[in-house]
Amino acid sequence: MKILYEDAVMLAAVKPQGMPAQADKTGDLDLLSALEEYIGQPLGLLHRLDRPVGGVMLFAKEKGAEAFLAKEIQEHRLKKAYLTVLCGRLPAAEGGLEDYLLKNARTNLSEVVSKERKGAKRAALRYRRLAEEETEQGVLTLAEIELETGRHHQIRVQTAHAGVPIWGDKKYNKGVPKRGKTEIALWSYRLEGIHPDTKQPFSFTARPEGEPFSLFSEELTEL
């Protein structure tokens, strides 16, 4: 757990991969509880990251800031950028993916469905190819992804549907063994927004480490 920023109204921290963002049925230590114990007060949980995903998260320390930042997120003014390693080649150096997703509450999985399907929700993202590497596993692509919408498992589902699933993703990458421990190569890299009190812009970043991001260490240091 690493604190990137803290003031009277908000806090930014790095969630380790494999740590829940908030308490769940496993009873394992979660980031929200750990931070609340550290600062000695409750925090407002503004957004979530899937347990296998690490990176930057933002929390509110008082109700006014929570309401302001929640509205910024709802109206898509808080910008979220991710880094990921994909199995395969993206179709272009830059582009976008737009699909309609449906969440299955029983399996906790989402799938791409037709626009007309009852309960389907629009999912859109932009991607930028940063580098490619030829490996024994085939071509791996380092990409930056910015979300236009925030859907359940959105990046994981959309990239898999596009034929470039995320390295290490047991849920959506059919080439990853279901057994054994692997860390998914998806990282919340940057959060940008407006401070609730000063109304000045902020930007918090954290670079990923470890396999397979280490294949792209030169490109990552240039970000």
Side-chain angles (χ1 to χ4, degrees):
M1 186 180 72
K2 179 180 180 182
I3 307 296
L4 297 176
Y5 177 85
E6 182 183 1
D7 64 18
V9 299
M10 69 181 197
L11 181 152
V14 178
K15 184 181 88 68
Q17 288 179 300
M19 186 183 207
Q22 64 183 131
D24 62 17
K25 61 185 179 181
T26 67
D28 295 340
L29 179 64
D30 62 279
L31 182 61
L32 178 62
S33 299
L35 289 172
E36 289 179 334
E37 182 177 354
Y38 163 71
I39 67 171
Q41 70 175 79
L43 289 170
L45 182 69
L46 298 164
H47 60 111
R48 295 168 178 80
L49 290 176
D50 297 340
R51 181 167 181 156
V53 180
V56 184
M57 290 190 67
L58 188 64
F59 301 85
K61 295 178 69 175
E62 55 93 30
K63 293 297 183 182
E66 184 175 1
F68 176 87
L69 292 167
K71 186 175 181 180
E72 292 291 287
I73 292 172
Q74 184 179 14
E75 298 182 0
H76 309 296
R77 288 192 291 267
L78 185 76
K79 303 299 182 184
K80 303 175 184 179
Y82 294 79
L83 291 171
T84 185
V85 176
L86 304 172
C87 297
R89 285 190 168 95
L90 285 164
E94 293 186 27
L97 298 176
E98 182 171 339
D99 300 290
Y100 283 81
L101 305 185
L102 184 66
K103 179 182 176 181
N104 185 322
R106 183 179 60 83
T107 62
N108 195 37
L109 296 173
S110 289
E111 62 177 325
V112 174
V113 297
S114 69
K115 180 180 179 178
E116 291 73 26
R117 183 85 170 266
K118 183 180 179 181
K121 295 183 178 179
R122 177 179 173 271
L125 60 79
R126 300 289 302 173
Y127 66 80
R128 181 166 66 100
R129 186 176 64 218
L130 301 178
E132 288 183 351
E133 283 286 338
E134 292 277 359
T135 74
E136 294 180 354
Q137 306 169 55
V139 175
L140 296 181
T141 300
L142 176 68
E144 181 184 70
I145 291 178
E146 292 190 3
L147 289 177
E148 295 180 17
T149 59
R151 305 301 182 200
H152 177 255
H153 291 173
Q154 180 180 333
I155 299 174
R156 302 165 69 177
V157 180
Q158 287 194 274
T159 54
H161 183 71
V164 280
I166 297 173
W167 186 96
D169 188 355
K170 292 182 178 180
K171 288 184 179 293
Y172 298 99
N173 187 342
K174 295 179 180 179
V176 177
K178 301 300 181 184
R179 296 184 178 181
K181 183 180 179 181
T182 57
E183 300 292 359
I184 185 174
L186 180 60
W187 184 264
S188 174
Y189 159 63
R190 185 176 66 244
L191 285 179
E192 294 180 340
I194 299 297
H195 192 282
D197 276 0
T198 67
K199 301 302 185 286
Q200 295 299 308
F202 64 75
S203 180
F204 305 123
T205 62
R207 293 180 178 85
E209 299 176 351
E211 191 181 7
F213 287 107
S214 56
L215 292 170
F216 304 97
S217 56
E218 184 176 338
E219 288 82 6
L220 291 174
T221 57
E222 294 174 355
L223 292 175

Short mmCIF file of all heavy atoms in Angstrom, two decimals, residues 6-7 9 16 19 37 42-43 46 51 56 111 124 131 148 151-152 161 181 185 190-191 203 212 217:
data_model
loop_
_atom_site.label_atom_id
_atom_site.label_comp_id
_atom_site.label_asym_id
_atom_site.label_seq_id
_atom_site.Cartn_x
_atom_site.Cartn_y
_atom_site.Cartn_z
N GLU A 6 -2.31 13.10 0.00
CA GLU A 6 -3.29 13.20 1.06
C GLU A 6 -3.40 14.65 1.51
O GLU A 6 -2.38 15.32 1.71
CB GLU A 6 -2.90 12.32 2.25
CG GLU A 6 -3.91 12.36 3.39
CD GLU A 6 -3.48 11.55 4.60
OE1 GLU A 6 -2.38 10.96 4.58
OE2 GLU A 6 -4.26 11.52 5.58
N ASP A 7 -4.62 15.14 1.62
CA ASP A 7 -4.86 16.43 2.23
C ASP A 7 -6.11 16.33 3.11
O ASP A 7 -6.53 15.21 3.46
CB ASP A 7 -4.96 17.56 1.19
CG ASP A 7 -6.13 17.40 0.23
OD1 ASP A 7 -7.08 16.65 0.55
OD2 ASP A 7 -6.11 18.03 -0.85
N VAL A 9 -9.23 16.70 2.46
CA VAL A 9 -10.49 16.27 1.88
C VAL A 9 -10.39 15.02 1.01
O VAL A 9 -11.42 14.39 0.73
CB VAL A 9 -11.14 17.40 1.06
CG1 VAL A 9 -11.43 18.60 1.94
CG2 VAL A 9 -10.28 17.80 -0.13
N PRO A 16 -2.42 -2.66 -4.26
CA PRO A 16 -1.63 -3.78 -4.77
C PRO A 16 -2.51 -4.77 -5.53
O PRO A 16 -3.69 -4.93 -5.23
CB PRO A 16 -1.07 -4.42 -3.49
CG PRO A 16 -1.22 -3.38 -2.43
CD PRO A 16 -2.43 -2.59 -2.80
N MET A 19 -5.27 -7.50 -3.90
CA MET A 19 -5.90 -6.99 -2.68
C MET A 19 -7.29 -6.46 -3.02
O MET A 19 -7.44 -5.70 -3.97
CB MET A 19 -5.05 -5.86 -2.09
CG MET A 19 -5.53 -5.34 -0.75
SD MET A 19 -4.52 -3.93 -0.19
CE MET A 19 -4.70 -4.07 1.58
N GLU A 37 -7.85 2.53 8.78
CA GLU A 37 -7.09 2.29 10.00
C GLU A 37 -5.88 3.22 10.06
O GLU A 37 -5.53 3.75 11.12
CB GLU A 37 -6.64 0.83 10.07
CG GLU A 37 -5.88 0.48 11.34
CD GLU A 37 -5.51 -0.98 11.42
OE1 GLU A 37 -5.94 -1.76 10.55
OE2 GLU A 37 -4.79 -1.35 12.36
N PRO A 42 -13.30 7.22 8.72
CA PRO A 42 -13.90 6.58 7.55
C PRO A 42 -13.59 7.33 6.26
O PRO A 42 -13.38 8.55 6.28
CB PRO A 42 -15.39 6.58 7.85
CG PRO A 42 -15.59 7.58 8.93
CD PRO A 42 -14.30 7.74 9.66
N LEU A 43 -13.56 6.60 5.16
CA LEU A 43 -13.31 7.18 3.84
C LEU A 43 -14.49 6.90 2.91
O LEU A 43 -15.17 5.88 3.06
CB LEU A 43 -12.04 6.58 3.22
CG LEU A 43 -10.70 6.97 3.83
CD1 LEU A 43 -9.60 6.10 3.25
CD2 LEU A 43 -10.40 8.44 3.58
N LEU A 46 -14.97 5.95 -3.85
CA LEU A 46 -15.49 6.63 -5.04
C LEU A 46 -15.60 5.73 -6.26
O LEU A 46 -16.44 5.93 -7.12
CB LEU A 46 -14.59 7.83 -5.37
CG LEU A 46 -14.54 8.92 -4.29
CD1 LEU A 46 -13.36 9.85 -4.53
CD2 LEU A 46 -15.84 9.70 -4.24
N ARG A 51 -10.27 -7.17 -7.99
CA ARG A 51 -9.23 -7.65 -7.08
C ARG A 51 -7.88 -7.92 -7.77
O ARG A 51 -6.82 -7.55 -7.23
CB ARG A 51 -9.72 -8.91 -6.35
CG ARG A 51 -8.70 -9.46 -5.37
CD ARG A 51 -9.30 -10.49 -4.44
NE ARG A 51 -8.28 -10.98 -3.51
CZ ARG A 51 -8.55 -11.51 -2.32
NH1 ARG A 51 -9.79 -11.63 -1.92
NH2 ARG A 51 -7.58 -11.92 -1.54
N VAL A 56 -3.78 3.08 -9.17
CA VAL A 56 -4.22 4.28 -8.46
C VAL A 56 -5.71 4.24 -8.15
O VAL A 56 -6.53 3.95 -9.03
CB VAL A 56 -3.90 5.54 -9.28
CG1 VAL A 56 -4.27 6.80 -8.49
CG2 VAL A 56 -2.42 5.58 -9.68
N GLU A 111 -20.61 -10.13 -20.78
CA GLU A 111 -20.40 -10.57 -22.15
C GLU A 111 -20.88 -9.50 -23.11
O GLU A 111 -21.72 -8.66 -22.77
CB GLU A 111 -21.15 -11.88 -22.41
CG GLU A 111 -22.66 -11.77 -22.26
CD GLU A 111 -23.38 -13.06 -22.60
OE1 GLU A 111 -22.92 -13.77 -23.51
OE2 GLU A 111 -24.41 -13.35 -21.96
N ALA A 124 -17.61 1.91 -23.98
CA ALA A 124 -16.71 2.52 -24.95
C ALA A 124 -15.37 2.83 -24.30
O ALA A 124 -15.31 3.26 -23.14
CB ALA A 124 -17.32 3.79 -25.54
N ALA A 131 3.85 -0.29 -27.57
CA ALA A 131 4.99 -1.13 -28.00
C ALA A 131 4.50 -2.55 -28.23
O ALA A 131 3.44 -2.95 -27.75
CB ALA A 131 6.09 -1.11 -26.95
N GLU A 148 -14.23 5.60 -21.55
CA GLU A 148 -15.28 6.58 -21.76
C GLU A 148 -16.50 6.24 -20.92
O GLU A 148 -17.30 7.11 -20.58
CB GLU A 148 -15.66 6.66 -23.24
CG GLU A 148 -14.54 7.17 -24.13
CD GLU A 148 -14.94 7.24 -25.60
OE1 GLU A 148 -16.15 7.22 -25.89
OE2 GLU A 148 -14.04 7.30 -26.45
N ARG A 151 -18.01 0.17 -17.06
CA ARG A 151 -18.86 -1.02 -16.94
C ARG A 151 -18.11 -2.15 -16.23
O ARG A 151 -16.88 -2.15 -16.16
CB ARG A 151 -19.31 -1.50 -18.33
CG ARG A 151 -20.02 -0.44 -19.16
CD ARG A 151 -21.25 0.10 -18.50
NE ARG A 151 -21.94 1.09 -19.33
CZ ARG A 151 -22.79 1.98 -18.87
NH1 ARG A 151 -23.07 2.04 -17.56
NH2 ARG A 151 -23.38 2.83 -19.69
N HIS A 152 -18.87 -3.12 -15.77
CA HIS A 152 -18.32 -4.28 -15.07
C HIS A 152 -17.36 -5.03 -15.98
O HIS A 152 -17.72 -5.46 -17.07
CB HIS A 152 -19.49 -5.19 -14.65
CG HIS A 152 -19.07 -6.45 -13.98
ND1 HIS A 152 -19.09 -7.67 -14.60
CD2 HIS A 152 -18.62 -6.68 -12.73
CE1 HIS A 152 -18.70 -8.60 -13.77
NE2 HIS A 152 -18.40 -8.04 -12.62
N HIS A 161 -13.04 -9.70 -26.53
CA HIS A 161 -13.96 -9.78 -27.66
C HIS A 161 -13.30 -9.30 -28.95
O HIS A 161 -13.61 -9.81 -30.04
CB HIS A 161 -15.20 -8.94 -27.37
CG HIS A 161 -16.25 -9.01 -28.43
ND1 HIS A 161 -17.02 -10.13 -28.66
CD2 HIS A 161 -16.65 -8.09 -29.36
CE1 HIS A 161 -17.85 -9.91 -29.66
NE2 HIS A 161 -17.65 -8.69 -30.11
N LYS A 181 -1.61 -19.48 -9.69
CA LYS A 181 -1.71 -18.04 -9.47
C LYS A 181 -1.03 -17.27 -10.60
O LYS A 181 0.11 -17.52 -10.94
CB LYS A 181 -1.06 -17.67 -8.14
CG LYS A 181 -1.19 -16.19 -7.80
CD LYS A 181 -0.54 -15.88 -6.47
CE LYS A 181 -0.64 -14.40 -6.14
NZ LYS A 181 0.01 -14.07 -4.84
N ALA A 185 -2.37 -8.56 -16.22
CA ALA A 185 -1.56 -7.42 -16.67
C ALA A 185 -2.47 -6.24 -17.01
O ALA A 185 -2.56 -5.80 -18.17
CB ALA A 185 -0.70 -7.82 -17.87
N ARG A 190 -3.24 6.12 -14.26
CA ARG A 190 -3.36 7.57 -14.03
C ARG A 190 -4.80 7.97 -13.77
O ARG A 190 -5.73 7.47 -14.41
CB ARG A 190 -2.84 8.32 -15.26
CG ARG A 190 -2.81 9.84 -15.10
CD ARG A 190 -2.21 10.53 -16.32
NE ARG A 190 -3.03 10.37 -17.52
CZ ARG A 190 -2.66 9.72 -18.61
NH1 ARG A 190 -1.47 9.17 -18.67
NH2 ARG A 190 -3.47 9.63 -19.65
N LEU A 191 -4.97 8.89 -12.80
CA LEU A 191 -6.26 9.52 -12.53
C LEU A 191 -6.09 11.03 -12.63
O LEU A 191 -5.18 11.59 -12.02
CB LEU A 191 -6.77 9.17 -11.13
CG LEU A 191 -7.34 7.77 -10.88
CD1 LEU A 191 -7.77 7.64 -9.42
CD2 LEU A 191 -8.50 7.47 -11.80
N SER A 203 -3.36 15.28 -11.02
CA SER A 203 -3.01 14.08 -11.79
C SER A 203 -2.14 13.19 -10.92
O SER A 203 -1.09 13.63 -10.44
CB SER A 203 -2.26 14.45 -13.08
OG SER A 203 -1.93 13.28 -13.81
N PRO A 212 4.13 -9.17 -16.91
CA PRO A 212 4.99 -9.04 -18.09
C PRO A 212 5.36 -7.58 -18.40
O PRO A 212 5.96 -7.32 -19.43
CB PRO A 212 4.10 -9.60 -19.19
CG PRO A 212 2.73 -9.12 -18.80
CD PRO A 212 2.70 -9.14 -17.29
N SER A 217 10.03 -2.14 -19.96
CA SER A 217 10.54 -1.20 -18.97
C SER A 217 11.00 0.12 -19.59
O SER A 217 10.79 1.19 -19.02
CB SER A 217 11.70 -1.84 -18.18
OG SER A 217 12.72 -2.27 -19.07
#
